[in-house]
Amino acid sequence: MDFDINKIREDFPILKQNLYSGQLVYFDNGATTQKPNSVINIINEYYSKYNSNIHRGVHYLSEKMTQAYETARKTVKTFINANSDTEIIFTSGTTESINLVAFSFGEIFINEGDEILISEMEHHSNIVPWQMLCERKKAKLKVIKLNHFGELLLGELDELLTDKTKLVAITHVSNTLGTINPIKDIIKKAHAKGAYVLIDGAQGIQHQKVDVKDLDCDFYAFSGHKIYGPTGIGILYGKEELLNKMPPYKGGGDMIKSVTIEKTVYNELPFKFEAGTSNFVGAVGLDHAIRYVQNIGIDKIAEYESDLATYATDAISRIEGVKIFGQSPNKSSIISFNIENIHHFDAGMVLDKMNIAVRTGTHCTEPIMKFFGIDGTIRASLSFYNTKQEVDKLVEGIKKVKELFG
Ligand code: PMP
């Protein structure tokens, strides 16, 4: 498929919408992405025609729904090049995927005195579960620090990784700074020290090719809603050998083979980790979101977004008094900035009235804010359905904010 931006925009009904005084300019893709018609329609179709609980029914609807749910698992498996469907666990999103690992992996692999290594640029969902685990197990949380370009100080990795390091949990792409971390190198170094690695892929999966086999990561977590799919569905990829050693995270229906009052025998992978009624229609929505991305081509998406981000970064940084946070040469299409003497909330509110949706605040990364000595930023996160004309509107908007508050 050719990258035809007008045709692509036609696929996203929300983008045609007028807000206060004109068409919506949506630059809050880091928080959640918009949904193409193919995703909206399939959700409608499945609720209209096939809604029925999975895995437990012999009737037509249940079998149809189960088949669609398991097809979605295969689509994810192929998309990230996992070895097997059993390595793909459906969760409610990145946050649940990370919590699953923190609880379940933590239960048997982490002991008193062990170390878990994270970074200063993590989203709170890749910090708090590890703090909770460290408290539970009397383990130690260690941190890879940032530099002023918003990159990790990886020169310190050799010292930070010790024989006690059991897990490195690191983001693929920073949701605030846009930095793309060299995860393949980090994984290699961590493995050389005998540590496992979890990658928070919440901002990675939708912007570039992810091949878990090539990366050799032990876990990769992402959310459906950030890759054009529905909310309430997400993925935990884990190496089968490792997942097999981990105890279930939640108990309930579907995760069991047999139950007596005395004893339960747990189900096999991946069901062992999917207790209760799953978001099965959400999984079908995610399947179609991934197919949509595959149809365009993730490499074409990456190329278009990179070009757009360069254009936006150049234009925004030329505005006097604007400071961009996150200056790594290896960046995704996320631009965080502040305007001199103007609070990010004020700027965000004025931009909103100009029909431009940006996110303001800490973006759930308070340690980054502390590092830069700020209490928030304005964040424009760009997707392949955004255009240079929209970037021009943002630039005009920033100038207007300056005029108003200047
Ligand atoms: N990690 C990163 C890097 C994120 O950007 C986000 C979402 N902002 C999350 C984790 C959490 O994702 P979710 O809320 O979908 O679970």
Side-chain angles (χ1 to χ4, degrees), residues 27 174-178 308-314 316-317 322-326 331-338 358-359 363 377-382 391 394:
F27 282 143
S174 162
N175 63 309
T176 297
L177 303 166
L308 190 63
T310 303
Y311 179 81
T313 305
D314 284 352
I316 293 169
S317 58
V322 167
K323 180 172 181 202
I324 293 182
F325 298 89
K331 260 190 80 170
S332 189
S333 52
I334 288 174
I335 305 155
S336 266
F337 59 96
N338 272 329
V358 290
R359 191 141 290 246
H363 321 297
T377 72
I378 304 157
R379 182 186 72 182
S381 44
L382 283 46
V391 170
L394 174 63

PDB file of all heavy atoms in Angstrom, residues 27 174-178 308-314 316-317 322-326 331-338 358-359 363 377-382 391 394:
ATOM      1  N   PHE A  27      -2.672  15.987  18.731  1.00  0.00           N
ATOM      2  CA  PHE A  27      -1.254  15.718  18.992  1.00  0.00           C
ATOM      3  C   PHE A  27      -1.067  15.080  20.359  1.00  0.00           C
ATOM      4  O   PHE A  27      -0.094  15.368  21.049  1.00  0.00           O
ATOM      5  CB  PHE A  27      -0.438  17.022  18.907  1.00  0.00           C
ATOM      6  CG  PHE A  27      -0.140  17.482  17.504  1.00  0.00           C
ATOM      7  CD1 PHE A  27      -0.141  18.842  17.188  1.00  0.00           C
ATOM      8  CD2 PHE A  27       0.162  16.575  16.497  1.00  0.00           C
ATOM      9  CE1 PHE A  27       0.156  19.276  15.901  1.00  0.00           C
ATOM     10  CE2 PHE A  27       0.454  16.993  15.213  1.00  0.00           C
ATOM     11  CZ  PHE A  27       0.447  18.347  14.902  1.00  0.00           C
ATOM     12  N   SER A 174      11.004   6.736  25.498  1.00  0.00           N
ATOM     13  CA  SER A 174      10.491   7.575  26.591  1.00  0.00           C
ATOM     14  C   SER A 174       9.239   8.321  26.141  1.00  0.00           C
ATOM     15  O   SER A 174       9.253   9.011  25.112  1.00  0.00           O
ATOM     16  CB  SER A 174      11.555   8.581  27.022  1.00  0.00           C
ATOM     17  OG  SER A 174      10.952   9.637  27.750  1.00  0.00           O
ATOM     18  N   ASN A 175       8.173   8.221  26.933  1.00  0.00           N
ATOM     19  CA  ASN A 175       6.917   8.885  26.565  1.00  0.00           C
ATOM     20  C   ASN A 175       6.998  10.389  26.756  1.00  0.00           C
ATOM     21  O   ASN A 175       6.154  11.120  26.253  1.00  0.00           O
ATOM     22  CB  ASN A 175       5.732   8.315  27.383  1.00  0.00           C
ATOM     23  CG  ASN A 175       5.877   8.570  28.862  1.00  0.00           C
ATOM     24  OD1 ASN A 175       6.905   8.275  29.445  1.00  0.00           O
ATOM     25  ND2 ASN A 175       4.863   9.128  29.478  1.00  0.00           N
ATOM     26  N   THR A 176       8.029  10.859  27.465  1.00  0.00           N
ATOM     27  CA  THR A 176       8.167  12.301  27.706  1.00  0.00           C
ATOM     28  C   THR A 176       9.255  12.913  26.831  1.00  0.00           C
ATOM     29  O   THR A 176       9.076  13.994  26.278  1.00  0.00           O
ATOM     30  CB  THR A 176       8.487  12.538  29.197  1.00  0.00           C
ATOM     31  OG1 THR A 176       7.372  12.069  29.953  1.00  0.00           O
ATOM     32  CG2 THR A 176       8.739  14.001  29.500  1.00  0.00           C
ATOM     33  N   LEU A 177      10.373  12.211  26.710  1.00  0.00           N
ATOM     34  CA  LEU A 177      11.528  12.778  26.000  1.00  0.00           C
ATOM     35  C   LEU A 177      11.629  12.290  24.557  1.00  0.00           C
ATOM     36  O   LEU A 177      12.340  12.875  23.751  1.00  0.00           O
ATOM     37  CB  LEU A 177      12.811  12.410  26.749  1.00  0.00           C
ATOM     38  CG  LEU A 177      12.851  12.849  28.215  1.00  0.00           C
ATOM     39  CD1 LEU A 177      13.979  12.152  28.954  1.00  0.00           C
ATOM     40  CD2 LEU A 177      12.979  14.365  28.317  1.00  0.00           C
ATOM     41  N   GLY A 178      10.949  11.215  24.257  1.00  0.00           N
ATOM     42  CA  GLY A 178      10.996  10.658  22.900  1.00  0.00           C
ATOM     43  C   GLY A 178      12.220   9.798  22.625  1.00  0.00           C
ATOM     44  O   GLY A 178      12.302   9.151  21.576  1.00  0.00           O
ATOM     45  N   LEU A 308       8.147  13.884   9.801  1.00  0.00           N
ATOM     46  CA  LEU A 308       7.233  14.853  10.408  1.00  0.00           C
ATOM     47  C   LEU A 308       7.811  15.398  11.717  1.00  0.00           C
ATOM     48  O   LEU A 308       7.712  16.605  12.007  1.00  0.00           O
ATOM     49  CB  LEU A 308       5.873  14.172  10.670  1.00  0.00           C
ATOM     50  CG  LEU A 308       4.728  15.083  11.076  1.00  0.00           C
ATOM     51  CD1 LEU A 308       4.380  16.072   9.967  1.00  0.00           C
ATOM     52  CD2 LEU A 308       3.481  14.258  11.429  1.00  0.00           C
ATOM     53  N   ALA A 309       8.433  14.521  12.483  1.00  0.00           N
ATOM     54  CA  ALA A 309       9.011  14.942  13.776  1.00  0.00           C
ATOM     55  C   ALA A 309      10.178  15.905  13.550  1.00  0.00           C
ATOM     56  O   ALA A 309      10.343  16.873  14.297  1.00  0.00           O
ATOM     57  CB  ALA A 309       9.464  13.718  14.566  1.00  0.00           C
ATOM     58  N   THR A 310      10.974  15.656  12.519  1.00  0.00           N
ATOM     59  CA  THR A 310      12.093  16.555  12.203  1.00  0.00           C
ATOM     60  C   THR A 310      11.550  17.937  11.835  1.00  0.00           C
ATOM     61  O   THR A 310      12.033  18.972  12.309  1.00  0.00           O
ATOM     62  CB  THR A 310      12.929  15.990  11.023  1.00  0.00           C
ATOM     63  OG1 THR A 310      13.361  14.690  11.392  1.00  0.00           O
ATOM     64  CG2 THR A 310      14.117  16.854  10.700  1.00  0.00           C
ATOM     65  N   TYR A 311      10.506  17.938  10.998  1.00  0.00           N
ATOM     66  CA  TYR A 311       9.875  19.188  10.570  1.00  0.00           C
ATOM     67  C   TYR A 311       9.340  19.945  11.802  1.00  0.00           C
ATOM     68  O   TYR A 311       9.571  21.153  11.958  1.00  0.00           O
ATOM     69  CB  TYR A 311       8.731  18.851   9.608  1.00  0.00           C
ATOM     70  CG  TYR A 311       7.968  20.047   9.087  1.00  0.00           C
ATOM     71  CD1 TYR A 311       8.463  20.802   8.019  1.00  0.00           C
ATOM     72  CD2 TYR A 311       6.748  20.419   9.661  1.00  0.00           C
ATOM     73  CE1 TYR A 311       7.762  21.892   7.544  1.00  0.00           C
ATOM     74  CE2 TYR A 311       6.034  21.503   9.188  1.00  0.00           C
ATOM     75  CZ  TYR A 311       6.540  22.242   8.122  1.00  0.00           C
ATOM     76  OH  TYR A 311       5.841  23.317   7.650  1.00  0.00           O
ATOM     77  N   ALA A 312       8.650  19.224  12.681  1.00  0.00           N
ATOM     78  CA  ALA A 312       8.044  19.850  13.857  1.00  0.00           C
ATOM     79  C   ALA A 312       9.124  20.360  14.825  1.00  0.00           C
ATOM     80  O   ALA A 312       9.019  21.478  15.341  1.00  0.00           O
ATOM     81  CB  ALA A 312       7.133  18.847  14.565  1.00  0.00           C
ATOM     82  N   THR A 313      10.154  19.546  15.041  1.00  0.00           N
ATOM     83  CA  THR A 313      11.221  19.941  15.967  1.00  0.00           C
ATOM     84  C   THR A 313      11.909  21.210  15.468  1.00  0.00           C
ATOM     85  O   THR A 313      12.147  22.147  16.233  1.00  0.00           O
ATOM     86  CB  THR A 313      12.247  18.792  16.121  1.00  0.00           C
ATOM     87  OG1 THR A 313      11.535  17.626  16.526  1.00  0.00           O
ATOM     88  CG2 THR A 313      13.297  19.115  17.160  1.00  0.00           C
ATOM     89  N   ASP A 314      12.211  21.253  14.156  1.00  0.00           N
ATOM     90  CA  ASP A 314      12.862  22.445  13.576  1.00  0.00           C
ATOM     91  C   ASP A 314      11.986  23.672  13.785  1.00  0.00           C
ATOM     92  O   ASP A 314      12.454  24.723  14.219  1.00  0.00           O
ATOM     93  CB  ASP A 314      13.077  22.251  12.062  1.00  0.00           C
ATOM     94  CG  ASP A 314      14.231  21.314  11.799  1.00  0.00           C
ATOM     95  OD1 ASP A 314      14.920  20.957  12.780  1.00  0.00           O
ATOM     96  OD2 ASP A 314      14.427  20.927  10.631  1.00  0.00           O
ATOM     97  N   ILE A 316       9.385  24.215  15.855  1.00  0.00           N
ATOM     98  CA  ILE A 316       9.113  24.599  17.260  1.00  0.00           C
ATOM     99  C   ILE A 316      10.363  25.202  17.902  1.00  0.00           C
ATOM    100  O   ILE A 316      10.287  26.192  18.629  1.00  0.00           O
ATOM    101  CB  ILE A 316       8.590  23.379  18.069  1.00  0.00           C
ATOM    102  CG1 ILE A 316       7.207  22.961  17.552  1.00  0.00           C
ATOM    103  CG2 ILE A 316       8.508  23.693  19.562  1.00  0.00           C
ATOM    104  CD1 ILE A 316       6.688  21.625  18.078  1.00  0.00           C
ATOM    105  N   SER A 317      11.521  24.620  17.600  1.00  0.00           N
ATOM    106  CA  SER A 317      12.739  25.123  18.256  1.00  0.00           C
ATOM    107  C   SER A 317      13.148  26.498  17.722  1.00  0.00           C
ATOM    108  O   SER A 317      13.936  27.193  18.366  1.00  0.00           O
ATOM    109  CB  SER A 317      13.877  24.113  18.141  1.00  0.00           C
ATOM    110  OG  SER A 317      14.127  23.860  16.790  1.00  0.00           O
ATOM    111  N   VAL A 322      11.289  29.075  23.436  1.00  0.00           N
ATOM    112  CA  VAL A 322      10.831  27.684  23.576  1.00  0.00           C
ATOM    113  C   VAL A 322      12.032  26.784  23.873  1.00  0.00           C
ATOM    114  O   VAL A 322      13.068  26.885  23.211  1.00  0.00           O
ATOM    115  CB  VAL A 322      10.119  27.201  22.291  1.00  0.00           C
ATOM    116  CG1 VAL A 322       9.941  25.686  22.310  1.00  0.00           C
ATOM    117  CG2 VAL A 322       8.756  27.867  22.157  1.00  0.00           C
ATOM    118  N   LYS A 323      11.864  25.931  24.881  1.00  0.00           N
ATOM    119  CA  LYS A 323      12.937  24.987  25.200  1.00  0.00           C
ATOM    120  C   LYS A 323      12.407  23.568  25.049  1.00  0.00           C
ATOM    121  O   LYS A 323      11.373  23.221  25.632  1.00  0.00           O
ATOM    122  CB  LYS A 323      13.414  25.221  26.633  1.00  0.00           C
ATOM    123  CG  LYS A 323      14.513  24.296  27.009  1.00  0.00           C
ATOM    124  CD  LYS A 323      15.162  24.605  28.330  1.00  0.00           C
ATOM    125  CE  LYS A 323      16.272  23.564  28.515  1.00  0.00           C
ATOM    126  NZ  LYS A 323      16.672  23.375  29.851  1.00  0.00           N
ATOM    127  N   ILE A 324      13.109  22.774  24.260  1.00  0.00           N
ATOM    128  CA  ILE A 324      12.699  21.376  24.049  1.00  0.00           C
ATOM    129  C   ILE A 324      13.457  20.466  25.025  1.00  0.00           C
ATOM    130  O   ILE A 324      14.676  20.589  25.182  1.00  0.00           O
ATOM    131  CB  ILE A 324      12.938  20.947  22.587  1.00  0.00           C
ATOM    132  CG1 ILE A 324      11.984  21.732  21.662  1.00  0.00           C
ATOM    133  CG2 ILE A 324      12.737  19.440  22.414  1.00  0.00           C
ATOM    134  CD1 ILE A 324      12.055  21.388  20.205  1.00  0.00           C
ATOM    135  N   PHE A 325      12.724  19.565  25.661  1.00  0.00           N
ATOM    136  CA  PHE A 325      13.337  18.588  26.565  1.00  0.00           C
ATOM    137  C   PHE A 325      13.395  17.251  25.832  1.00  0.00           C
ATOM    138  O   PHE A 325      12.360  16.723  25.426  1.00  0.00           O
ATOM    139  CB  PHE A 325      12.518  18.464  27.854  1.00  0.00           C
ATOM    140  CG  PHE A 325      12.454  19.749  28.619  1.00  0.00           C
ATOM    141  CD1 PHE A 325      11.445  20.674  28.375  1.00  0.00           C
ATOM    142  CD2 PHE A 325      13.445  20.060  29.546  1.00  0.00           C
ATOM    143  CE1 PHE A 325      11.406  21.877  29.056  1.00  0.00           C
ATOM    144  CE2 PHE A 325      13.407  21.264  30.234  1.00  0.00           C
ATOM    145  CZ  PHE A 325      12.385  22.177  29.987  1.00  0.00           C
ATOM    146  N   GLY A 326      14.609  16.730  25.704  1.00  0.00           N
ATOM    147  CA  GLY A 326      14.789  15.496  24.932  1.00  0.00           C
ATOM    148  C   GLY A 326      15.409  15.831  23.595  1.00  0.00           C
ATOM    149  O   GLY A 326      14.695  16.186  22.653  1.00  0.00           O
ATOM    150  N   LYS A 331      15.486   9.735  18.271  1.00  0.00           N
ATOM    151  CA  LYS A 331      14.221  10.096  18.921  1.00  0.00           C
ATOM    152  C   LYS A 331      13.010   9.629  18.146  1.00  0.00           C
ATOM    153  O   LYS A 331      13.019   9.551  16.930  1.00  0.00           O
ATOM    154  CB  LYS A 331      14.134  11.628  19.033  1.00  0.00           C
ATOM    155  CG  LYS A 331      14.480  12.178  20.396  1.00  0.00           C
ATOM    156  CD  LYS A 331      14.147  13.660  20.522  1.00  0.00           C
ATOM    157  CE  LYS A 331      12.682  13.914  20.800  1.00  0.00           C
ATOM    158  NZ  LYS A 331      12.411  15.324  21.162  1.00  0.00           N
ATOM    159  N   SER A 332      11.949   9.389  18.893  1.00  0.00           N
ATOM    160  CA  SER A 332      10.653   9.072  18.299  1.00  0.00           C
ATOM    161  C   SER A 332       9.892  10.390  18.082  1.00  0.00           C
ATOM    162  O   SER A 332      10.419  11.463  18.349  1.00  0.00           O
ATOM    163  CB  SER A 332       9.911   8.158  19.268  1.00  0.00           C
ATOM    164  OG  SER A 332       8.757   7.653  18.679  1.00  0.00           O
ATOM    165  N   SER A 333       8.646  10.307  17.624  1.00  0.00           N
ATOM    166  CA  SER A 333       7.919  11.532  17.242  1.00  0.00           C
ATOM    167  C   SER A 333       7.198  12.159  18.446  1.00  0.00           C
ATOM    168  O   SER A 333       5.991  12.380  18.406  1.00  0.00           O
ATOM    169  CB  SER A 333       6.946  11.223  16.113  1.00  0.00           C
ATOM    170  OG  SER A 333       6.124  10.124  16.449  1.00  0.00           O
ATOM    171  N   ILE A 334       7.956  12.392  19.504  1.00  0.00           N
ATOM    172  CA  ILE A 334       7.423  13.008  20.723  1.00  0.00           C
ATOM    173  C   ILE A 334       8.246  14.262  21.003  1.00  0.00           C
ATOM    174  O   ILE A 334       9.478  14.193  21.056  1.00  0.00           O
ATOM    175  CB  ILE A 334       7.530  12.014  21.913  1.00  0.00           C
ATOM    176  CG1 ILE A 334       6.505  10.893  21.735  1.00  0.00           C
ATOM    177  CG2 ILE A 334       7.345  12.734  23.252  1.00  0.00           C
ATOM    178  CD1 ILE A 334       6.591   9.768  22.745  1.00  0.00           C
ATOM    179  N   ILE A 335       7.543  15.402  21.124  1.00  0.00           N
ATOM    180  CA  ILE A 335       8.264  16.652  21.369  1.00  0.00           C
ATOM    181  C   ILE A 335       7.705  17.316  22.623  1.00  0.00           C
ATOM    182  O   ILE A 335       6.557  17.744  22.648  1.00  0.00           O
ATOM    183  CB  ILE A 335       8.153  17.600  20.140  1.00  0.00           C
ATOM    184  CG1 ILE A 335       8.643  16.878  18.888  1.00  0.00           C
ATOM    185  CG2 ILE A 335       8.939  18.888  20.378  1.00  0.00           C
ATOM    186  CD1 ILE A 335       8.063  17.397  17.602  1.00  0.00           C
ATOM    187  N   SER A 336       8.543  17.353  23.660  1.00  0.00           N
ATOM    188  CA  SER A 336       8.159  17.973  24.933  1.00  0.00           C
ATOM    189  C   SER A 336       8.850  19.319  25.022  1.00  0.00           C
ATOM    190  O   SER A 336      10.059  19.415  24.780  1.00  0.00           O
ATOM    191  CB  SER A 336       8.642  17.108  26.097  1.00  0.00           C
ATOM    192  OG  SER A 336       7.646  16.228  26.504  1.00  0.00           O
ATOM    193  N   PHE A 337       8.111  20.345  25.399  1.00  0.00           N
ATOM    194  CA  PHE A 337       8.733  21.668  25.468  1.00  0.00           C
ATOM    195  C   PHE A 337       8.032  22.562  26.476  1.00  0.00           C
ATOM    196  O   PHE A 337       6.915  22.259  26.913  1.00  0.00           O
ATOM    197  CB  PHE A 337       8.733  22.334  24.084  1.00  0.00           C
ATOM    198  CG  PHE A 337       7.346  22.506  23.483  1.00  0.00           C
ATOM    199  CD1 PHE A 337       6.657  23.712  23.617  1.00  0.00           C
ATOM    200  CD2 PHE A 337       6.730  21.474  22.798  1.00  0.00           C
ATOM    201  CE1 PHE A 337       5.385  23.879  23.072  1.00  0.00           C
ATOM    202  CE2 PHE A 337       5.454  21.620  22.254  1.00  0.00           C
ATOM    203  CZ  PHE A 337       4.779  22.828  22.390  1.00  0.00           C
ATOM    204  N   ASN A 338       8.710  23.651  26.819  1.00  0.00           N
ATOM    205  CA  ASN A 338       8.100  24.710  27.619  1.00  0.00           C
ATOM    206  C   ASN A 338       8.345  26.042  26.937  1.00  0.00           C
ATOM    207  O   ASN A 338       9.295  26.195  26.165  1.00  0.00           O
ATOM    208  CB  ASN A 338       8.669  24.716  29.047  1.00  0.00           C
ATOM    209  CG  ASN A 338       7.862  23.785  29.948  1.00  0.00           C
ATOM    210  OD1 ASN A 338       6.659  23.607  29.759  1.00  0.00           O
ATOM    211  ND2 ASN A 338       8.532  23.188  30.925  1.00  0.00           N
ATOM    212  N   VAL A 358      -2.937  18.924  22.932  1.00  0.00           N
ATOM    213  CA  VAL A 358      -1.612  18.485  23.382  1.00  0.00           C
ATOM    214  C   VAL A 358      -1.758  18.075  24.834  1.00  0.00           C
ATOM    215  O   VAL A 358      -2.742  18.422  25.478  1.00  0.00           O
ATOM    216  CB  VAL A 358      -0.538  19.608  23.281  1.00  0.00           C
ATOM    217  CG1 VAL A 358      -0.193  19.914  21.846  1.00  0.00           C
ATOM    218  CG2 VAL A 358      -0.977  20.863  24.038  1.00  0.00           C
ATOM    219  N   ARG A 359      -0.803  17.348  25.356  1.00  0.00           N
ATOM    220  CA  ARG A 359      -0.867  16.978  26.771  1.00  0.00           C
ATOM    221  C   ARG A 359       0.057  17.900  27.567  1.00  0.00           C
ATOM    222  O   ARG A 359       1.112  18.304  27.080  1.00  0.00           O
ATOM    223  CB  ARG A 359      -0.453  15.527  26.978  1.00  0.00           C
ATOM    224  CG  ARG A 359      -0.757  15.040  28.389  1.00  0.00           C
ATOM    225  CD  ARG A 359      -1.262  13.634  28.385  1.00  0.00           C
ATOM    226  NE  ARG A 359      -2.593  13.538  27.819  1.00  0.00           N
ATOM    227  CZ  ARG A 359      -3.692  13.190  28.500  1.00  0.00           C
ATOM    228  NH1 ARG A 359      -3.636  12.941  29.784  1.00  0.00           N
ATOM    229  NH2 ARG A 359      -4.844  13.103  27.884  1.00  0.00           N
ATOM    230  N   HIS A 363       3.338  13.864  32.635  1.00  0.00           N
ATOM    231  CA  HIS A 363       3.257  12.679  31.777  1.00  0.00           C
ATOM    232  C   HIS A 363       3.614  11.393  32.544  1.00  0.00           C
ATOM    233  O   HIS A 363       4.206  10.459  31.973  1.00  0.00           O
ATOM    234  CB  HIS A 363       4.138  12.828  30.526  1.00  0.00           C
ATOM    235  CG  HIS A 363       4.105  14.214  29.961  1.00  0.00           C
ATOM    236  ND1 HIS A 363       2.949  14.769  29.479  1.00  0.00           N
ATOM    237  CD2 HIS A 363       5.057  15.184  29.855  1.00  0.00           C
ATOM    238  CE1 HIS A 363       3.198  16.011  29.079  1.00  0.00           C
ATOM    239  NE2 HIS A 363       4.467  16.287  29.312  1.00  0.00           N
ATOM    240  N   THR A 377       5.639  19.727  31.250  1.00  0.00           N
ATOM    241  CA  THR A 377       5.942  20.223  29.900  1.00  0.00           C
ATOM    242  C   THR A 377       4.658  20.205  29.068  1.00  0.00           C
ATOM    243  O   THR A 377       3.646  19.645  29.483  1.00  0.00           O
ATOM    244  CB  THR A 377       6.982  19.354  29.140  1.00  0.00           C
ATOM    245  OG1 THR A 377       6.355  18.110  28.765  1.00  0.00           O
ATOM    246  CG2 THR A 377       8.234  19.082  29.940  1.00  0.00           C
ATOM    247  N   ILE A 378       4.761  20.816  27.908  1.00  0.00           N
ATOM    248  CA  ILE A 378       3.725  20.664  26.886  1.00  0.00           C
ATOM    249  C   ILE A 378       4.255  19.552  25.986  1.00  0.00           C
ATOM    250  O   ILE A 378       5.425  19.601  25.576  1.00  0.00           O
ATOM    251  CB  ILE A 378       3.589  21.961  26.046  1.00  0.00           C
ATOM    252  CG1 ILE A 378       3.322  23.148  26.969  1.00  0.00           C
ATOM    253  CG2 ILE A 378       2.513  21.807  24.976  1.00  0.00           C
ATOM    254  CD1 ILE A 378       3.706  24.482  26.358  1.00  0.00           C
ATOM    255  N   ARG A 379       3.444  18.545  25.722  1.00  0.00           N
ATOM    256  CA  ARG A 379       3.939  17.435  24.902  1.00  0.00           C
ATOM    257  C   ARG A 379       3.089  17.274  23.653  1.00  0.00           C
ATOM    258  O   ARG A 379       1.877  17.074  23.733  1.00  0.00           O
ATOM    259  CB  ARG A 379       3.918  16.140  25.702  1.00  0.00           C
ATOM    260  CG  ARG A 379       4.466  14.947  24.904  1.00  0.00           C
ATOM    261  CD  ARG A 379       4.313  13.637  25.653  1.00  0.00           C
ATOM    262  NE  ARG A 379       2.929  13.188  25.704  1.00  0.00           N
ATOM    263  CZ  ARG A 379       2.513  12.096  26.334  1.00  0.00           C
ATOM    264  NH1 ARG A 379       3.380  11.341  26.979  1.00  0.00           N
ATOM    265  NH2 ARG A 379       1.239  11.740  26.325  1.00  0.00           N
ATOM    266  N   ALA A 380       3.751  17.382  22.501  1.00  0.00           N
ATOM    267  CA  ALA A 380       3.084  17.078  21.228  1.00  0.00           C
ATOM    268  C   ALA A 380       3.611  15.716  20.791  1.00  0.00           C
ATOM    269  O   ALA A 380       4.817  15.553  20.579  1.00  0.00           O
ATOM    270  CB  ALA A 380       3.405  18.138  20.188  1.00  0.00           C
ATOM    271  N   SER A 381       2.734  14.734  20.699  1.00  0.00           N
ATOM    272  CA  SER A 381       3.165  13.406  20.248  1.00  0.00           C
ATOM    273  C   SER A 381       2.465  13.116  18.926  1.00  0.00           C
ATOM    274  O   SER A 381       1.243  13.148  18.838  1.00  0.00           O
ATOM    275  CB  SER A 381       2.860  12.352  21.310  1.00  0.00           C
ATOM    276  OG  SER A 381       1.579  12.514  21.862  1.00  0.00           O
ATOM    277  N   LEU A 382       3.282  12.869  17.907  1.00  0.00           N
ATOM    278  CA  LEU A 382       2.801  12.833  16.518  1.00  0.00           C
ATOM    279  C   LEU A 382       2.591  11.404  16.031  1.00  0.00           C
ATOM    280  O   LEU A 382       3.342  10.502  16.402  1.00  0.00           O
ATOM    281  CB  LEU A 382       3.832  13.516  15.611  1.00  0.00           C
ATOM    282  CG  LEU A 382       3.915  15.037  15.581  1.00  0.00           C
ATOM    283  CD1 LEU A 382       3.895  15.663  16.960  1.00  0.00           C
ATOM    284  CD2 LEU A 382       5.178  15.479  14.848  1.00  0.00           C
ATOM    285  N   VAL A 391       1.181  20.701  11.994  1.00  0.00           N
ATOM    286  CA  VAL A 391       2.348  21.200  12.746  1.00  0.00           C
ATOM    287  C   VAL A 391       2.405  22.724  12.625  1.00  0.00           C
ATOM    288  O   VAL A 391       2.644  23.437  13.611  1.00  0.00           O
ATOM    289  CB  VAL A 391       3.658  20.553  12.231  1.00  0.00           C
ATOM    290  CG1 VAL A 391       4.872  21.238  12.840  1.00  0.00           C
ATOM    291  CG2 VAL A 391       3.677  19.060  12.532  1.00  0.00           C
ATOM    292  N   LEU A 394       0.131  24.251  15.026  1.00  0.00           N
ATOM    293  CA  LEU A 394       0.680  24.221  16.387  1.00  0.00           C
ATOM    294  C   LEU A 394       1.679  25.361  16.587  1.00  0.00           C
ATOM    295  O   LEU A 394       1.664  26.047  17.610  1.00  0.00           O
ATOM    296  CB  LEU A 394       1.349  22.861  16.654  1.00  0.00           C
ATOM    297  CG  LEU A 394       2.085  22.724  17.986  1.00  0.00           C
ATOM    298  CD1 LEU A 394       1.129  22.861  19.176  1.00  0.00           C
ATOM    299  CD2 LEU A 394       2.824  21.384  18.084  1.00  0.00           C
TER     300      LEU A 394
END
